[in-house]
Amino acid sequence: MTNPTTALDVDLELVEHLEDRAAHIRKQVVRGAYLIPGTVHLGGPLSATDVAVALYYHFLGFDPENLDDPDRNRFILSKGHNGVLLYNILADLGLYTFDEVFGGYNKPHHPFGMHPNMHYIRGIEASTGSLGHGLSLGVGLSLANRADGRTSRTFVMTGDGEMEEGSNWEAIMYAGSHGLSNLVAIVDFNRSTGSFRHGEHMVVDWKPAFESFGWDVVEIDGNDMTAVVRAFSQLPPVVPGEKGKPVAVISNTVKGFGVDFMNGPKWHLGSINDENLQIAIESIDRNKLARRSH
């Protein structure tokens, strides 16, 4: 793959449209957190928003009216504790209302819990929550699609802390050795787990690690929509039945991106109150304009 920082210019109208949607989704994540008693995952959903928005609003070809299309591209949020991000995107795309999502969020018998459940929520491709399962599920879907001669892709987003799970590396080894060119793994590298900052625990040099297992690797600023669009635009076509290298996208992000006062392990889980709600909304607007003028 071509390095996205040196690629030809992208469609700037598309970039601006996706930036607008990303800012809206970030605001909805914050507004939803305001309605939820106690704490909710915030830092991770906000760091991953740009990539998820680019996929759902363009690159997946996501069709709310045709969720069972066997040829559809699929997205698995392996770091399932960031489900509020997906819920807000699905609501914005018309599958649900904001009130349906947050009217009883994470309460008994309510479909929208902290972790997404495909049996209760239309539009969710895989039930995730126990970290380290999503990439293995993606391997299985990619194998099945290749066996069926489909050209669809499976995208799996993991967290950088989640990459400490051994099951991920088994999936990475298998995907590389079996040439699953229809699989894309995205590492949301926000340099912070719920307990550690990057460097305080396990440290992995992602690019050589993936490459050693036979993957192509592209590194991007995952909070720069231009870089995100370039990276996904350059994915090589999937040839039915043929083997090739799976692709890893190392998405360098900032935990809590868009909200200036959110960063680091403290905001892995957090709460929004009357005092900081408006500050957060204004921060998201200000950061969107700053990015666009950069």
Side-chain angles (χ1 to χ4, degrees), residues 137-214:
L137 292 170
V139 165
L141 287 172
S142 298
L143 276 171
N145 283 337
R146 188 172 69 189
D148 291 339
R150 305 190 191 281
T151 59
S152 53
R153 272 195 165 89
T154 303
F155 296 82
V156 181
M157 178 182 282
T158 73
D160 52 347
E162 180 188 7
M163 293 299 291
E164 296 180 6
E165 299 286 349
S167 54
N168 278 319
W169 295 100
E170 293 177 4
I172 290 165
M173 179 171 56
Y174 188 96
S177 63
H178 286 73
L180 295 182
S181 58
N182 54 354
L183 176 64
V184 178
I186 303 156
V187 179
D188 183 40
F189 187 21
N190 61 27
R191 292 172 169 78
S192 175
T193 70
S195 303
F196 302 100
R197 291 184 181 274
H198 182 64
E200 296 175 345
H201 200 225
M202 295 178 67
V203 178
V204 175
D205 193 348
W206 305 114
K207 189 173 188 295
F210 274 96
E211 287 177 337
S212 69
F213 287 113

Side-chain angles (χ1 to χ4, degrees), residues 18 82 85 109 126 151 168 175 188 199 239:
L18 295 175
N82 289 180
L85 172 58
H109 310 298
T151 59
N168 278 319
D188 183 40
V239 179

